[in-house]
Amino acid sequence: MAADLWTALFIAILAAFTGYEVISRVPVLLHTPLMSGSNFIHGIVLVGSIVALGFATTPLEKGIGLVAVVMGAMNVTGGYVVTVRILAMFDRSKRRGGGS
Amino acid sequence: MIAVVSDAVNAVYVIAVIVFILGLKAMSSPETARRGIVYAGVAMLVAVVVTFFISGLSNFALIAIGVIVGGGAGFYWARVVKMTAMPQMVAVFNGMGGGAAGAIAAVELLASLTSGATTGLSVAGAVIGSTSIAGSVIAFLKLQGWMPSRPIVLPARQPVNLAVLVVGVGFGVYAVASTTAIFLLPFFVLLLLYGILLTLPIGGADMPVVISLFNALTGIAVALDGFALVSGPLGDAGYAMVIAGTLVGAAGSLLTVLMARAMNRSIGNVLFGAFGATEETGVAVAGQMKPIDAEDVAVMMSYANEVIIVPGYGMAVAQAQQKVKELADLLEAKGVPVKFAIHPVAGRMPGHMNVLLAEAGISYDKLFDRDEINNEFPNADVVLVIGANDVVNPAARRVGSPLQGMPILDVDRAKNVIVIKRGQGKGFAGIENELFYKDNCRMLYGDAQQAVGKLVQALKRS
């Protein structure tokens, strides 16, 4: 296995523990926005899509690469807007009748 | 064509990854959640923009078209959709991510076939990404009501599903081993089919868990694509994908476990149990459903020591949260304390009810978790169940019931229970609700919005 892959594996292990730690104490209230927010973060797939299409050579590769870019971009914008809309409901200025 | 990821581009990726982690952390606390998504959004924007500066990149016009079309469509769709449809939107956009991961893997596989290099990582990324998009689309169709939400159980589904998966992966491995691109076609077709077959037998009530699972899977698929990229000449763009993908994979997996635990189910049970497909036999529900008028309910509530409202998916569907807020305000004006009992999985997603009630302007200090309020039901004069069903079904306490062991709200122990319900149908799990047949339970038939509206009118008159 190439050295790069080992490096990536070490990084992935650290990232996995980070993800676990970050989520471990989260109130039920935030499960939905958090799912939506992490859905947005894997929108980083768009970067990979752009790279894949950017280095595609044959028409078939370009076609599939374009599909990847379209889907990745939808993941990013849709994921962001949905999360913001869900979280907008937690805006304290909109709360009436109390709150901390 | 030499691919170079410059130091400057890498530096931006590093910063973006740090901000993703901080953003996710911020999103796990109510005070900072809104800041978190904005930070992550800025990091994403910057990471995408610098990707264009990777030298050797071509097909700019196509990339721009793809970003504009996909980005525009996602933005528009997410903006116009109703809040009640949010769960299925998460499913759709998650599916898009999975599809993108699968498509990237396809491009990598095609390129590596022609160059003679092979990689099992792309095969794995393609497997998971394809399963995720197909499953997410089915989840969307079920939640949107474009497909029956009941579990659809095909004969011999376990062996058939396994066979589809194994044969599909076999085609992928063979395509790589023999460097024959055409075998990638049945590979992807069978994996998409596997995603569909996996999700069909899962009932609507379990969809939140499944969407969360597919979310985690997409993260893992993205990470695997990242692995495939780092071993190629493009190198370092892949590390950002490895970190962000793994982060989501881990966080999403934990979230999935937490959600399943809230329903006292295991992931395996959710995925392979075809929950709600089998009817419990030999248990006849005694008694009958007894209807009641809005006027009578209004009088009952006006003179109650307290009213506990239990909202469910029916409230979300009917967009009744504003009316519910009005009802609560009227009751409080009459000196009747109102509390809301929120089951962790009421609605189609954890926290769904909290979000809708907060939108209507109902204060958080009136919302109570199951654990906080379950002891209060026996003392409450009136419990008003609005469009909730399975989460208040006392059958869950009985050994042998399909719902057995699921934590429920003990509303049947209240002095009076009023259930607002559109008809006499069963809940999402497809199980008869014994609560409706109890002596202390009355049914107020109607769409949640109309029924609560009638209650408001009746209260104003009384």
Side-chain angles (χ1 to χ4, degrees), chain A residues 32 42 51 53-54 77 85 89 92, chain B residues 31 59 71 78 81 234 350 355:
Chain A
T32 300
H42 68 53
V51 170
L53 177 55
T77 57
R85 282 187 64 190
M89 293 173 183
R92 219 189 279 163
Chain B
E31 296 301 313
N59 300 328
V81 75
L234 302 170
V355 166

Side-chain angles (χ1 to χ4, degrees), chain B residues 115-422:
Chain B
S115 71
T118 57
T119 170
L121 291 164
S122 292
V123 173
V127 169
I128 299 175
S130 308
T131 308
S132 178
I133 184 177
S136 297
V137 167
I138 298 296
F140 167 78
L141 292 175
K142 285 194 171 207
L143 286 175
Q144 189 74 11
W146 292 353
M147 214 177 117
S149 62
R150 290 182 54 78
I152 298 166
V153 185
L154 303 172
R157 82 198 137 88
Q158 236 75 289
V160 168
N161 289 6
L162 188 66
V164 168
L165 179 65
V166 169
V167 174
V169 172
F171 271 114
V173 172
Y174 187 71
V176 170
S178 67
T179 67
T180 324
I182 191 69
F183 287 116
L184 289 176
L185 188 65
F187 168 63
F188 278 102
V189 168
L190 285 173
L191 285 166
L192 291 171
L193 181 65
Y194 177 69
I196 294 170
L197 290 175
L198 184 71
T199 320
L200 277 179
I202 299 170
D206 285 334
M207 276 307 156
V209 180
V210 174
I211 294 172
S212 179
L213 180 69
F214 285 136
N215 186 39
L217 283 180
T218 302
I220 293 168
V222 171
L224 284 167
D225 280 354
F227 270 102
L229 280 182
V230 293
S231 59
L234 302 170
D236 304 346
Y239 286 113
M241 289 171 69
V242 168
I243 296 178
T246 311
L247 194 66
V248 174
S253 302
L254 180 57
L255 205 52
T256 310
V257 172
L258 291 176
M259 286 183 181
R261 202 178 286 160
M263 296 198 295
N264 201 22
R265 312 270 308 281
S266 71
I267 305 289
N269 189 228
V270 168
L271 278 180
F272 305 115
F275 186 64
T278 48
E279 284 288 328
E280 195 183 10
T281 49
V283 178
V285 185
Q288 56 185 12
M289 296 196 200
K290 299 162 285 290
I292 190 169
D293 291 333
E295 278 72 19
D296 293 338
V297 179
V299 173
M300 248 163 111
M301 289 197 297
S302 301
Y303 296 97
N305 64 345
E306 73 171 338
V307 172
I308 301 178
I309 297 179
V310 180
Y313 189 61
M315 183 191 81
V317 172
Q319 288 282 306
Q321 59 270 28
Q322 288 294 344
K323 286 276 172 211
V324 171
K325 154 90 173 151
E326 217 178 310
L327 178 74
D329 287 349
L330 274 170
L331 286 171
E332 301 231 298
K334 287 176 184 286
V336 182
V338 177
K339 288 177 179 170
F340 290 85
I342 314 287
H343 191 278
V345 296
R348 290 293 175 270
M349 279 195 160
H352 198 180
M353 292 299 120
N354 307 60
V355 166
L356 289 176
L357 293 173
E359 183 197 20
I362 290 165
S363 160
Y364 280 134
D365 45 17
K366 293 197 174 65
L367 310 186
F368 296 89
D369 283 347
R370 194 186 73 90
D371 295 341
E372 292 172 330
I373 203 156
N374 242 358
N375 292 331
E376 277 198 45
F377 285 112
N379 303 322
D381 279 344
V382 178
V383 171
L384 183 65
V385 177
I386 306 177
N389 194 338
D390 298 328
V391 297
V392 294
N393 191 343
R397 293 195 207 106
R398 200 184 56 238
V399 176
S401 159
L403 285 171
Q404 181 193 340
M406 176 172 151
I408 56 162
L409 292 164
D410 296 329
V411 301
D412 58 316
R413 292 177 178 159
K415 287 166 196 150
N416 295 287
V417 184
I418 310 295
V419 177
I420 294 179
K421 204 168 174 303
R422 266 189 304 199

Side-chain angles (χ1 to χ4, degrees), chain A residues 2-5 7-9 11-13 15-58 60-92 94-100, chain B residues 1 3 13 20-21 24-25 27-31 33-34 37-38 40-41 44 47-48 51-52 54-59 62-63 66-67 70-71 74-75 78-79 81 83 86 89-90 93-94 96-97 99-101 103-104 106-107 110-111 121 133 208 211-212 215 218-219 222 227 230-231 234 239 241-244 246-248 250-251 254-255 258-259 349-350 354-355 358-361 363-364:
Chain A
D4 290 334
L5 279 181
T7 313
L9 185 61
I11 292 175
I13 289 167
F17 279 100
T18 309
Y20 192 87
E21 274 306 307
V22 163
I23 300 292
S24 54
R25 278 182 302 276
V26 60
V28 172
L29 175 69
L30 283 175
H31 279 178
T32 300
L34 206 52
M35 193 205 296
S36 182
S38 59
N39 177 34
F40 166 70
I41 286 175
H42 68 53
I44 191 76
V45 73
L46 177 58
V47 166
S49 305
I50 291 173
V51 170
L53 177 55
F55 291 93
T57 45
T58 67
L60 181 61
E61 284 174 30
K62 285 182 190 175
I64 300 173
L66 181 62
V67 170
V69 171
V70 169
M71 286 182 162
M74 276 187 82
N75 186 178
V76 168
T77 57
Y80 183 80
V81 172
V82 167
T83 311
V84 166
R85 282 187 64 190
I86 293 176
L87 287 175
M89 293 173 183
F90 295 84
D91 187 355
R92 219 189 279 163
K94 280 168 75 184
R95 282 195 214 170
R96 276 167 277 166
S100 54
Chain B
M1 190 174 70
Y13 285 148
F20 281 153
I21 296 173
L24 198 61
K25 176 80 192 158
M27 271 187 266
S28 56
S29 156
E31 296 301 313
R34 303 189 71 211
I37 183 66
V38 174
M44 183 71 74
V48 169
T51 304
F52 284 90
I54 294 177
S55 57
L57 205 70
S58 55
N59 300 328
L62 270 182
I63 295 174
V67 169
F75 185 81
R79 278 298 285 273
V81 75
M83 278 314 291
M86 283 299 162
M89 295 318 284
V90 175
F93 295 126
N94 172 58
M96 291 299 126
I104 292 170
V107 174
L110 286 170
L121 291 164
I133 184 177
I211 294 172
S212 179
N215 186 39
T218 302
V222 171
F227 270 102
V230 293
S231 59
L234 302 170
Y239 286 113
M241 289 171 69
V242 168
I243 296 178
T246 311
L247 194 66
V248 174
L254 180 57
L255 205 52
L258 291 176
M259 286 183 181
M349 279 195 160
N354 307 60
V355 166
E359 183 197 20
S363 160
Y364 280 134

